[in-house]
Amino acid sequence: MKAVAVFPGSREVKVVEREGPRLAAPDQVLLRMLDIGICGTDKEICSFEYGTPPPGDDHLVIGHESLAEVVEAGPAAGRFAPGDLVVPSVRRPCPHPSCLSCRSGHQDYCYTGDFTERGIKEAHGFMAESVAEHERYLNLVPPDLREIAVLAEPLTIAEKALEQIFWVMRRRPPWLDPETPRDERGRGLSALVLGVGPVGLLGAMALATAGFTTYVYSRELPPSPRTDLVGAIGATYVSSQATTFPDLAETIGNIDLIYEAVGHSHFALEALRVLGTNGIFVLTGVPGLQAFVEADPARLMREMVLRNQVLLGTVNAGPGAFADALADLDLFRRRWPAVVRTLIAGRYPPEQAPDLILGRPAGIKTVITFNAPA
Ligand code: BGC
Ligand code: ZN
């Protein structure tokens, strides 16, 4: 079967021919991969700045955002039947008995760092014709979400963040009642998203759906398909080329939440200075090596303490976030059908993957497909 792999030793990214997977344990499921999304992480891996092949291999099959169809379920994988659509999670637990997170199924909070991630860290990924996976790492997808379910994994970043934001919001008046419906939790609060990439835009959609008055701030000057999308979901787009952070803060009022989705350290520091009282600053971007920036840590500390602020980093996601992402995709589809049709920029064959990953992203999400829809 075909797969797309990166070879860090020879610095190559190419389509390779590999042996197809077989069920290796009774709880495994054989998957035919349908859609595999590409993202900034893939670009870093294919630029040899991130990612690690499995021990003993000279290459890593990439791909971590995916949608697949069940071909065969092992005798102990009774939750699934051939034809079911599934989205696999990415991270797999570390082996250490002492890791409370991994031992309780919460490897997205792994303590040791010895987890693996499919398509990223020491485990082959999903950009292949077929894959075998244990049933506990698979999330069942309703057939209605066939066209967009490949967006579930990038949306889980926002869903895991929201889960934590709601916990933090219970600490200050008005105390958030945990019984508040999901779509009312952000009511009366402002959220500022930094970045118009897929994580930023999906994050803005999730925040708007949760009831936040949502702003998206990035360099790009409108109009563009991305800035149009922001308007179409009832959020407000502001370009950093036209408006400074202090001016933006004046328009918004108290900024209750900042959701960072660029991984740009200087931009994030500037934003931190305008975070409101009792505000939460969520970091999701993973910066590579960047130029040294000057900061004023005493001032930042003073503000953070005197204004009860929270700085929250979040990575990867667990089963709850996958369930929320699939539920929200369904909501997005009903609420903004025209917007949802524009989220996937195009579907391309694996041979084009290297150029698409390393080139400038066009549109919102580019998808590689091995198997045309059935
Ligand atoms: C993936 C996460 C992963 C993270 C760090 C992101 O692109 O979506 O699943 O944990 O990279 O490797
Ligand atoms: Zn990703």
Side-chain angles (χ1 to χ4, degrees):
M1 67 161 188
K2 278 189 214 168
V4 179
V6 56
F7 292 73
S10 55
R11 296 176 84 82
E12 286 175 288
V13 185
K14 60 185 182 192
V15 175
V16 292
E17 196 54 47
R18 311 180 89 235
E19 204 177 310
R22 271 173 296 136
L23 295 184
D27 69 332
Q28 278 196 341
V29 177
L30 193 63
L31 303 174
R32 185 169 83 101
M33 301 314 294
L34 300 175
D35 287 343
I36 302 98
I38 60 186
C39 79
T41 302
D42 297 308
K43 185 170 189 158
E44 281 184 30
I45 297 172
C46 293
S47 314
F48 320 105
E49 288 165 13
Y50 192 63
T52 320
D57 276 357
D58 63 349
H59 66 284
L60 170 75
V61 174
I62 58 172
H64 59 276
E65 306 180 356
S66 71
L67 169 68
E69 183 186 315
V70 172
V71 174
E72 186 188 347
R79 267 171 62 216
F80 297 105
D84 283 349
L85 295 179
V86 294
V87 167
S89 66
V90 177
R91 194 177 282 191
R92 304 292 171 260
C94 79
H96 306 291
S98 63
C99 182
L100 290 181
S101 298
C102 288
R103 298 292 69 75
S104 60
H106 298 287
Q107 51 269 19
D108 56 318
Y109 289 99
C110 176
Y111 280 100
T112 68
D114 290 338
F115 56 81
T116 59
E117 285 182 342
R118 294 206 66 166
I120 302 177
K121 182 176 182 284
E122 294 164 18
H124 290 306
F126 304 126
M127 207 177 278
E129 275 174 81
S130 303
V131 161
E133 186 52 277
H134 297 281
E135 92 162 348
R136 62 182 171 283
Y137 302 128
L138 300 176
N139 303 279
L140 185 66
V141 174
D144 283 351
L145 295 182
R146 164 68 182 87
E147 282 307 302
I148 51 170
V150 66
L151 299 170
E153 198 279 342
L155 178 57
T156 60
I157 307 298
E159 300 293 356
K160 176 175 171 180
L162 271 170
E163 214 171 280
Q164 298 171 84
I165 289 162
F166 294 145
W167 274 102
V168 178
M169 276 168 54
R170 292 174 61 182
R171 79 200 162 116
R172 51 101 189 105
W175 318 111
L176 178 73
D177 178 350
E179 301 302 314
T180 311
R182 277 174 57 79
D183 58 348
E184 287 174 21
R185 294 181 181 182
R187 189 182 281 167
L189 299 173
S190 63
L192 172 62
V193 174
L194 306 180
V196 276
V199 174
L201 289 175
L202 289 167
M205 292 172 86
L207 289 164
T209 301
F212 287 90
T213 303
T214 305
Y215 296 80
V216 179
Y217 188 62
S218 197
R219 234 187 101 68
E220 185 155 325
L221 279 169
S224 81
R226 287 185 281 254
T227 64
D228 288 352
L229 182 149
V230 175
I233 61 162
T236 306
Y237 181 78
V238 183
S239 167
S240 63
Q241 294 192 61
T243 307
T244 63
F245 268 118
D247 288 344
L248 177 64
E250 210 163 293
T251 318
I252 300 179
N254 196 61
I255 302 181
D256 299 298
L257 174 69
I258 296 182
Y259 182 80
E260 193 282 334
V262 230
H264 192 290
S265 55
H266 185 240
F267 199 52
L269 269 178
E270 292 282 296
L272 185 53
R273 299 169 72 142
V274 299
L275 181 64
T277 298
N278 302 328
I280 310 170
F281 194 110
V282 179
L283 294 163
T284 73
V286 185
L289 279 185
Q290 287 173 3
F292 207 81
V293 294
E294 275 196 27
D296 183 356
R299 195 199 122 154
L300 287 177
M301 271 175 77
R302 187 171 60 230
E303 290 290 303
M304 289 200 72
V305 170
L306 296 179
R307 303 173 80 182
N308 292 301
Q309 294 172 333
V310 173
L311 190 55
L312 192 157
T314 182
V315 69
N316 199 254
F322 275 89
D324 289 347
L326 289 165
D328 268 352
L329 281 179
D330 197 43
L331 263 176
F332 298 172
R333 186 175 69 91
R334 291 163 196 277
R335 197 160 160 188
W336 303 303
V339 170
V340 163
R341 277 194 291 277
T342 66
L343 290 175
I344 306 233
R347 287 184 163 82
Y348 302 90
E351 287 72 19
Q352 291 191 37
D355 286 344
L356 289 167
I357 293 169
L358 292 166
R360 250 189 92 76
I364 294 157
K365 179 60 72 181
T366 300
V367 169
I368 301 300
T369 185
F370 284 83
N371 301 287

